[in-house]
Amino acid sequence: MQTPSSAASSPPATVKKPWYRQLYFWVLIAIVLGILVGWLWPDTGEAMEPIGTTFITAMKMLICPIVFLTIVGGIASVADLKKVGVTGIKALTYFQVGTIIAMITGLVAINIFRLGDGVNADAASLETTDSAETLIKSGEEKQWWEFITHLVPDSVLGPFVEGDILQVIFLAVIFGVAINAVGQVAAPIRDAVERLTAVIFKVLGFIMKLAPLGAFGAMAFAIGKYGVSTLTSLGSLILLFYVTSAFFVIVVLGSVMAYLRLNIFRMLGFFKEELLLILGTSTAEPALPGLMRKMEYAGVKKTTVGLVVPTGYSFNLDGAAIYLSLAALYIAQATNTDLSIPQQLGLLGVMLLTSKGAAGVAGGGFIALTATLSTLGTIPAAGIMLIFGIDKFMSECRALVNFIGNAVATLFVAKWNHELDVDRARRVFAGEVLPPPAGETENDFDMEILEQEPRDRHRHDPHRDNTAPALFAEADAVRIDHERPDDAHTARH
């Protein structure tokens, strides 16, 4: 029989929202409507650009604070800083191996099908548009070592103003380590970080309600501006990229999931809201907060999520890696530039460096491709105009694969660290509604991000509202007295 105390301390039951109230349903409707508007009324579709860009801007506004607070809170709360360093090394090792496999997958695909043969393009005669020229110039000026020196910002606030995730991660790690090293003196700061994180995620929940509107605007603009004809002009290359990406996700990432004793398709279903949001907006950044929250809910320890996911958004770009290798070889074939196997491997080595940080820059994939060709010197950089028109329609696939790759990477590193509840992850991916993980409460999660809601949300339960906090406070006081008798009075007050 359940006692009043246990009833008070147990979390309220949660249920899955009806399908017609879930975010993915309305985002899917918005994408379809956006395609129709852009196709049937191109001028109207192109005029929808401000709607999509405003939503993406609003989401990006929160990305840097979320990344900073999550990393700082995670590092500051761990007992062993050495473990944080080991987790970082494991994550970077996985990222590098995954990127190499993704690039090799792209190289093999374009070498087998050789879609560029017969194009016979003259790079000297290719005309560049103003927007393309800006990206080409940025890529040509980019050096392979810049992603290392660029880590250190000019000021503390600069990375937040410019939205530079790499620099934000650098600052967050330093601040997190410092707070941890200071010890008990920094306890109020740790508490403030946790409270501010909860507030930021609540703001995120408000903005996410506008996701269907943002997806509609972005998709209507893309179809209205670039047109369906653009898709058919180089449809074979687009198709090869999508098929290669699907092969990588299902076979390569699916094998990693099988090693973890998890199902890749069920995981994709769990993240359907985020995947549709990426499909509509062509960028993975709006889906980053949802990935972090859902990974924690699925049984990955918060400290691992806070370190691996944001870092992966800059260093684990599987989709961009496939795109870079496939596009570079297509341009070489189209301009009749013969590359031997050793030269292709050298190209791969250059891409490993130029691709870092591409996700945090507008047109990052295009800039990284130009930087690769300029550094290598054997493939004419002007050849990128051959694929400039279809780059927009390949960006969705890049972002989708990047997101899926980071989800799998987080699970793998967590398993490597013995910080993954595999049974919980399997049940959550299967659609089972579970209470928050041990040590967490519903206040630590925005249940709307998880597409769940308390069963008794609209019923007021005075006994639970008043008794539970008192019980938790009493338990905390006993724990403090037991662990630090000398500081018990100070800790309580």
Side-chain angles (χ1 to χ4, degrees):
M1 180 177 177
Q2 190 179 39
T3 64
S5 298
S6 61
S9 58
S10 61
T14 55
V15 294
K16 204 76 173 176
K17 285 185 178 181
W19 61 270
Y20 55 85
R21 290 184 56 196
Q22 293 192 27
L23 180 65
Y24 80 90
F25 171 75
W26 293 105
V27 171
L28 182 60
I29 294 295
I31 290 174
V32 173
L33 291 177
I35 293 174
L36 291 175
V37 170
W39 177 33
L40 300 176
W41 303 283
D43 292 339
T44 303
E46 196 169 345
M48 297 294 105
E49 180 184 17
I51 298 177
T53 55
T54 301
F55 171 76
I56 295 174
T57 301
M59 290 295 297
K60 288 185 175 180
M61 169 186 71
L62 298 178
I63 296 299
C64 288
I66 287 174
V67 169
F68 181 81
L69 292 171
T70 304
I71 294 178
V72 169
I75 296 178
S77 61
V78 299
D80 185 8
L81 282 178
K82 181 180 178 181
K83 190 173 184 179
V84 175
V86 171
T87 300
I89 293 173
K90 289 178 179 178
L92 292 175
T93 301
Y94 176 91
F95 295 161
Q96 201 70 351
V97 173
T99 300
I100 292 174
I101 295 175
M103 287 182 175
I104 291 176
T105 303
L107 287 177
V108 171
I110 196 63
N111 273 292
I112 291 175
F113 294 98
R114 302 193 65 83
L115 299 180
D117 289 349
V119 176
N120 299 321
D122 182 8
S125 63
L126 292 174
E127 295 183 3
T128 58
T129 62
D130 292 338
S131 57
E133 186 64 34
T134 301
L135 293 174
I136 292 173
K137 184 177 180 180
S138 177
E140 290 177 338
E141 294 175 352
K142 184 179 178 67
Q143 302 297 324
W144 66 267
W145 40 261
E146 282 188 8
F147 83 94
I148 299 176
T149 58
H150 184 68
L151 282 173
V152 183
D154 296 330
S155 66
V156 173
L157 298 179
F160 295 92
V161 175
E162 298 171 5
D164 194 313
I165 295 181
L166 273 176
Q167 293 184 347
V168 170
I169 293 173
F170 177 81
L171 287 175
V173 171
I174 291 178
F175 274 81
V177 171
I179 292 174
N180 190 297
V182 169
Q184 189 60 30
V185 176
I189 299 178
R190 286 195 296 269
D191 184 59
V193 167
E194 292 180 4
R195 295 173 185 272
L196 189 55
T197 301
V199 173
I200 291 292
F201 271 101
K202 180 56 67 175
V203 175
L204 171 69
F206 297 152
I207 296 178
M208 283 297 293
K209 294 180 183 297
L210 301 176
L213 194 61
F216 166 78
M219 186 58 71
F221 166 73
I223 301 297
K225 181 176 178 62
Y226 298 99
V228 179
S229 59
T230 306
L231 289 171
T232 58
S233 62
L234 287 172
S236 57
L237 182 59
I238 297 175
L239 179 62
L240 179 61
F241 177 54
Y242 273 76
V243 170
T244 304
S245 298
F247 172 85
F248 179 81
V249 170
I250 295 173
V251 176
V252 179
L253 297 183
S255 298
V256 176
M257 291 290 287
Y259 168 77
L260 300 176
R261 295 183 291 117
L262 297 171
N263 187 295
I264 183 72
F265 296 105
R266 287 187 173 179
M267 188 198 76
L268 296 179
F270 178 62
F271 287 112
K272 57 183 176 293
E273 292 85 9
E274 288 72 23
L275 294 175
L276 285 172
L277 182 61
I278 293 170
L279 182 64
T281 60
S282 298
T283 175
E285 288 188 343
L288 185 149
L291 174 60
M292 297 178 72
R293 269 302 189 250
K294 285 189 173 183
M295 276 297 169
E296 292 176 22
Y297 178 72
V300 181
K301 194 172 180 180
K302 182 181 293 187
T303 53
T304 300
V305 172
L307 188 61
V308 176
V309 172
T311 308
Y313 258 63
S314 289
F315 288 96
N316 187 42
L317 309 175
D318 294 334
I322 296 172
Y323 165 81
L324 285 175
S325 58
L326 192 148
L329 262 292
Y330 174 83
I331 294 171
Q333 294 169 3
T335 55
N336 298 317
T337 305
D338 294 328
L339 294 179
S340 63
I341 297 299
Q343 286 177 315
Q344 292 187 31
L345 294 177
L347 175 67
L348 187 148
V350 173
M351 287 189 291
L352 285 174
L353 298 172
T354 56
S355 63
K356 302 307 179 187
V361 184
F366 205 72
I367 292 174
L369 177 59
T370 308
T372 300
L373 301 184
S374 300
T375 302
L376 195 64
T378 55
I379 306 174
I384 62 175
M385 284 307 300
L386 295 171
I387 62 171
F388 182 72
I390 63 170
D391 183 75
K392 175 65 181 67
F393 295 100
M394 300 171 85
S395 63
E396 286 93 346
C397 189
R398 286 200 301 266
L400 286 169
V401 179
N402 289 344
F403 177 89
I404 298 169
N406 280 312
V408 175
T410 305
L411 293 169
F412 183 86
V413 174
K415 175 70 173 179
W416 195 355
N417 261 358
H418 307 289
E419 294 179 344
L420 171 64
D421 187 340
V422 176
D423 180 65
R424 180 182 176 90
R426 188 181 297 113
R427 294 168 64 188
V428 168
F429 291 165
E432 188 173 345
V433 178
L434 300 176
E440 306 287 346
T441 67
E442 285 195 359
N443 291 331
D444 297 318
F445 295 95
D446 189 334
M447 302 311 287
E448 292 187 2
I449 294 179
L450 302 175
E451 296 299 341
Q452 297 176 13
E453 58 186 357
R455 189 186 301 274
D456 52 356
R457 162 176 275 176
H458 302 293
R459 290 189 296 175
H460 179 65
D461 187 348
H463 178 72
R464 187 184 70 204
D465 291 347
N466 297 327
T467 308
L471 290 173
F472 286 128
E474 182 179 352
D476 286 342
V478 172
R479 177 179 55 80
I480 293 172
D481 286 339
H482 177 71
E483 294 178 352
R484 290 190 300 273
D486 296 337
D487 298 333
H489 180 76
T490 304
R492 288 196 192 102
H493 298 283

